[in-house]
Every structure is written in structure tokens, then in C-alpha cells.
Amino acid sequence: TAWLWFALPAVSVFLLNAVTAHLTLDVMPLPLLWVVLLGLFLLSYVVGFSGKADRYLVAWQLLSALSVLAAALVHRRSGAGGGFLLNLSACLALCFFGATFLHTWLYAVRPQAGRLTLYYLGNAAGGAAGGLLASLAAPAVFSRVTEFPIAMALVAAAGVLYVFSVRGVPRGMRAVCVVMAVGALAAFAVSVRPKPGDRPVVWRARGFFGTLQVLEAKAKTARGEGVIREFVHGNTVHGIQALIPGKERMPTTYYTEQGCGYAVLGHPHYRGGKPMRVCLLGMGVGVMLSYARSNDVYRCYDISRDVVDVASRSGLFTFSKECLGRVEIVCQDARKGLEREEKGQEPLYDVIVLDALTGDNIPYHLSTREAFELYLKRLAPGGVLAVNISNWHLSLEPLMKALGNEFECPVLAFASANDFGKLAFASKTAFFCREPAKLGQPPKGIALLDLRRVKNMPLPTDEKGSFVNTIKWK
């Protein structure tokens, strides 16, 4: 069993890194979540090496198999926006019970005192190898967080190996263990299998900011055939384009006239035919560029080179290439770029669209009091700041209310429903405007949100703040 001295800690450390990557890239990076995961991992060592836990090794194996089963089932449905609390609970259980089983087994196969040096050397080398495989090799090899389902499979397989390799387990208990372990492996297989109706992936990449993919579906209309392409970052859609004759410039998802598009269409300059300067903080695939006219200037900030390439250079989407106005794409942190503009006294914007809060990973530095103060400074008189607050995991209305109170600026908040005929998603959008009476009539098909009934929250600042109280736990 000497090889287990290396293999078991390698799997446990791989598991810790894989669960952390899954929660922070595919679900939502809760502040200091890694501390909780690391604490559970260290606690599993304490329990496993306590000297008594090995008596209950079969029980730990059963709990480990159950946690794999639960995590696999949640992973299967997480792409549809499964609740954050459900994802978090399953992953925490998998991290603790899976690691406790592995560490208890590791303690059970400890050698006599004369070989303890080799034993602990194997522990250290195995842990290092598991960490390197999960944190360095996996991101370089896989275009998504594949290490998470791999970790589930390794833990389930370890359960099967334990049942067949250890003597003295009662026959009835052995049968139960086998059924649970095999069931966990089956659940893992189901979790990674393509779902019925899944669209083909035509492009996929993984970078510092998470996993990206472009999905494609065939479409037929009276005007001809074409394809519909969807850009997904993690589990969040960041734009759809209908590459169908006559529909290429149709606004979609969160950017229709019932969403962020109202900031442009309702602006007096647009209705009066005057040139406009628009700034997009978070480019996506550039759906908002469909509103540009020949005399307009649209500046797009995005910190991800992969996003910029997909939107403008890959040929997958044409919003940028076929934009009627002038497009200026800046691959830079949006706040740094606006600070540079403010320092250089560059022309102000008629509309600023903040589209960085929809994903699972909200940039904190773009959501603070100081950040919104900068956005409002960069607006021309009568300008509109539109904030897309559609989010699976966070309720951002309290933040909008707090910002409106802080800057004494009227805030209009709309909610719209799905309209799949127009490829429009249900969305929530907040509009900051000093002179809301000058905006055009709100579009039809929206519901006004009464922010006065929203709970209060402390306004985050650059020095201190948290979004924990905005989490949708269910």
C-alpha cells in the first residue's frame, strides 16, 4: 500500500483546488470563500489523523460517495442558474467528506515508525503533485473547469478501490458501499454528458478571467437560413447575434429597448438626430453597437483580450465589424481608462453603459462609491448612466438605491420579461440621470421597480465593503 501514501494526498489536494476553481469561476467568487474551503480541508486532516476516525472509515466512504452524488447532480443543473446556496452546500460537502475519507484512509495505511520518513515524504510529494496538476496543468490543458468533474470521478473511484481492497468489511456494508460508489461514478458520468438540446460549441477558451465559449444553433426564417451565435462567460450569457439576412444588427439579450438600449433610444440627442458619444464598460460581443449611427462614437472597454478578440477579430460576431459609427476598442481595465480620460480632460459621454455586474464574478473596484462617482463625472449634462443589474446570484437593487441616495441622483429601474422571438432575456436595468424628465417615454413591456421598498445596504467603498448581504441564497 505504499503507493497510497502518494496517491491519496494527491487526490485530496487536487479535489481542494478543483472545488475552489469551480466555485470561483463557474458559480460565484464569494469573498474569502477560499478560507472556508481551506479550513474544511485542514479539518479533514485533523479528523482523519485523530486516531479514532479509521474505525468509521466505511461511514466516511459512504458520506464521500453521497457528496459526490449530490455535487454531480447540482453540477448537472448548474448551467441553468442553479441556486448559489445549493451549489455551495454540495461543494463544501464534497470538499470535507471527500477529503476526510481520503485522509482517514491515508492514516489507516500508515507504516511502522521505521518508515514514517518515507510516509510523510510521500504525503508531501503527492500533495504537491495534486496541486500542480489542478492549478497549473489543468488550466493549460482544458478549455473549461474540467478538473472539477475529474475530481468527483477520482473520489468516487477511490471509494470503489477502497471497498474492493480492504478486508474485514461486513458483506452487507460492502454491498452498500459498492452501490453508493458506483452510483456516484454514474452520477459523474451523467453530469459531464451533453444535455439534450445542447447547442454545438464552435469556439472555446479558458483564460485568467474564466472560461469562454461560443454556441451555435441553426435558424430558419422567411428571409432565409442562418445561425444564432451565443457568447457565454462561465454560465453567464454575454451576447447573442442572429446571423440571419436582415437580422444581423438586431439588439438582443439584455440590450433591447426594454433594457440597456433605452439609455440610447431615450436620450434627447438620439431622438433629435444629434451625434452621440457612448461608452461601454464591458464589451461582450458588442450588441450595443447596433444602435450606433454614422455620426456616433462608441468607445468599448474590456479587460479580457479573449473577449475583445471574439467580438472584433474572430469572425464569429459582426456587431463591431459592421457598426455604422466609429468604434474605439480599448483592452484595459475600464476604471483605469476612465481615470486616464478624466485626467486628460477628454470629451464627456452622453451615455455610459456598465455591463460588468451581470456575471458571477462582479468586479468590486467597478462597483464602489468612488467608481460611480467617476462614471457620473464622465457624463455630459443630461447624460445617462445605464447599469445592467440582471444577475442570477445577487440582488443589486439595494446597491442602486444606495448610490442614488449618495449622489442625490434620480434612478429609474426597469424589469422586462423574456421575449425569445426577439432573442431578448428577462432583465433588470437601472438608469441614473440628473434630468429624467428629458428622456423619452419608457418602452412598452417593462415594469417599473420601486426602489423605495428595497432594503438599505451600506455603500461599498474602495477601502471597505461587501456584497454578501445581496446574495440570493435560494
Side-chain angles (χ1 to χ4, degrees):
T1 59
W3 65 276
L4 291 174
W5 305 345
F6 176 89
L8 294 177
V11 173
S12 69
V13 174
F14 187 92
L15 172 66
L16 172 65
N17 282 268
V19 170
T20 304
H22 171 65
L23 284 175
T24 55
L25 295 180
D26 288 342
V27 184
M28 190 190 73
L30 188 68
L32 298 180
L33 176 59
W34 66 271
V35 176
V36 178
L37 292 168
L38 181 59
L40 289 175
F41 181 78
L42 295 177
L43 181 61
S44 72
Y45 259 114
V46 174
V47 174
F49 278 67
S50 64
K52 298 179 181 179
D54 57 336
R55 304 175 189 174
Y56 311 104
L57 188 48
V58 173
W60 289 120
Q61 189 274 338
L62 286 174
L63 290 172
S64 173
L66 283 171
S67 66
V68 172
L69 183 63
L73 293 175
V74 172
H75 184 253
R76 178 70 175 172
R77 61 164 293 196
S78 62
F84 173 73
L85 186 58
L86 194 61
N87 280 276
L88 180 63
S89 301
C91 288
L92 292 181
L94 175 62
C95 184
F96 178 71
F97 292 122
T100 300
F101 161 61
L102 295 169
H103 295 155
T104 305
W105 189 8
L106 180 62
Y107 176 78
V109 296
R110 67 194 183 281
Q112 298 297 322
R115 302 188 69 192
L116 282 179
T117 299
L118 184 61
Y119 172 75
Y120 286 114
L121 179 61
N123 286 198
L132 290 173
L133 287 172
S135 59
L136 296 181
V141 174
F142 303 124
S143 57
R144 50 185 175 178
V145 189
T146 309
E147 59 267 31
F148 179 64
I150 288 178
M152 289 192 288
L154 290 174
V155 174
V160 175
L161 178 63
Y162 168 75
V163 171
F164 284 103
S165 64
V166 177
R167 298 178 181 178
V169 179
R171 182 176 300 178
M173 184 61 72
R174 187 186 295 273
V176 173
C177 291
V178 170
V179 170
M180 289 304 304
V182 173
L185 278 173
F188 152 74
V190 171
S191 73
V192 297
R193 189 179 62 187
K195 302 174 186 176
D198 277 359
R199 287 146 297 172
V201 178
V202 297
W203 179 89
R204 178 181 283 142
R206 179 176 178 178
F208 180 80
F209 301 101
T211 57
L212 310 169
Q213 57 184 348
V214 176
L215 310 178
E216 185 175 280
K218 302 294 183 182
K220 291 183 179 181
T221 67
R223 296 189 179 186
E225 297 185 359
V227 299
I228 296 174
R229 289 197 178 126
E230 179 178 354
F231 180 51
V232 184
H233 187 178
N235 285 323
T236 303
V237 177
H238 280 287
I240 291 178
Q241 184 174 21
L243 295 174
I244 301 170
K247 298 290 186 179
E248 296 90 347
R249 299 185 65 246
M250 178 178 70
T252 61
T253 58
Y254 308 108
Y255 315 105
T256 64
E257 63 176 338
Q258 286 81 21
C260 295
Y262 173 69
V264 175
L265 298 178
H267 196 282
H269 286 187
Y270 187 93
R271 291 182 286 115
K274 298 180 180 179
M276 295 183 65
R277 283 180 55 84
V278 179
C279 183
L280 308 180
L281 309 182
M283 183 177 183
V285 297
V287 180
M288 284 295 298
L289 298 177
S290 60
Y291 294 104
R293 303 162 300 175
S294 58
N295 53 357
D296 294 336
V297 177
Y298 277 63
R299 177 169 290 181
C300 310
Y301 281 102
D302 207 295
I303 196 172
S304 173
R305 174 60 62 184
D306 291 327
V307 172
V308 170
D309 289 342
V310 168
S312 60
R313 302 187 183 98
S314 65
L316 296 169
F317 298 92
T318 64
F319 286 115
S320 173
K321 181 180 179 181
E322 299 179 358
C323 180
L324 299 181
R326 192 174 86 202
V327 181
E328 301 172 351
I329 300 177
V330 184
C331 187
Q332 183 185 14
D333 177 75
R335 183 168 170 180
K336 292 292 184 182
L338 292 180
E339 289 173 348
R340 172 182 50 80
E341 292 181 16
E342 181 70 12
K343 185 176 181 180
Q345 297 183 341
E346 295 188 27
L348 302 176
Y349 295 105
D350 300 298
V351 173
I352 295 177
V353 179
L354 176 60
D355 189 30
L357 308 185
T358 58
D360 309 323
N361 185 1
I362 288 187
Y364 180 84
H365 71 293
L366 298 181
S367 314
T368 63
R369 179 196 180 280
E370 292 80 0
F372 274 82
E373 182 179 23
L374 176 63
Y375 305 152
L376 295 175
K377 283 183 178 179
R378 295 300 303 153
L379 282 178
V384 181
L385 169 63
V387 186
N388 185 2
I389 57 174
S390 312
N391 195 290
W392 278 345
H393 300 298
L394 300 181
S395 177
L396 296 174
E397 291 92 332
L399 176 63
M400 299 299 103
K401 176 182 179 180
L403 288 165
N405 293 337
E406 174 69 19
F407 296 107
E408 298 180 351
C409 181
V411 184
L412 297 176
F414 298 162
S416 64
N418 289 314
D419 187 349
F420 295 117
K422 297 181 180 179
L423 301 178
F425 289 173
S427 64
K428 292 182 179 181
T429 314
F431 302 89
F432 294 79
C433 183
R434 298 289 184 186
E435 301 173 340
K438 293 185 178 180
L439 296 177
Q441 289 294 320
K444 297 180 180 179
I446 57 97
L448 289 173
L449 300 177
D450 189 357
L451 296 183
R452 294 174 299 178
R453 299 184 179 182
V454 173
K455 65 180 181 180
N456 296 317
M457 70 168 286
L459 186 60
T461 66
D462 286 349
E463 293 185 355
K464 182 180 179 181
S466 172
F467 288 100
V468 173
N469 58 350
T470 68
I471 294 176
K472 300 176 184 177
W473 293 102
K474 295 183 179 180

